[in-house]
Amino acid sequence: PLKKIDKIYNELFYQLKYILNKNGILVLLTPKPELIDKYSKQHNFRISEKIKLNYMNQEFYILKLYKV
């Protein structure tokens, strides 16, 4: 359910603020980049690269993020 996913992504980025060092980079694979974008902005992360993949008629995205 979307409500559970929202809670998990929010907690993920909250924890990453403390775990990832200043020059650290986060790379994620996701079918829904808009959710990652939403929570990354709330927790001061920015997407520096976005690669679109198509695997077995499904779209996925590789996102490279950094701390602001």
Side-chain angles (χ1 to χ4, degrees), residues 16 19-27 45-46 48 64-68:
L16 283 169
I19 296 171
L20 204 60
N21 70 16
K22 184 179 179 184
N23 297 321
I25 294 172
L26 172 66
V27 178
F45 284 84
R46 295 293 178 258
S48 64
K64 182 177 173 184
L65 298 101
Y66 64 96
K67 280 172 116 175
V68 176

Side-chain angles (χ1 to χ4, degrees), residues 29-42:
L29 174 68
T30 181
K32 301 218 181 266
E34 57 277 357
L35 289 175
I36 299 294
D37 191 39
K38 174 184 171 183
Y39 288 104
S40 64
K41 287 179 181 175
Q42 287 179 4

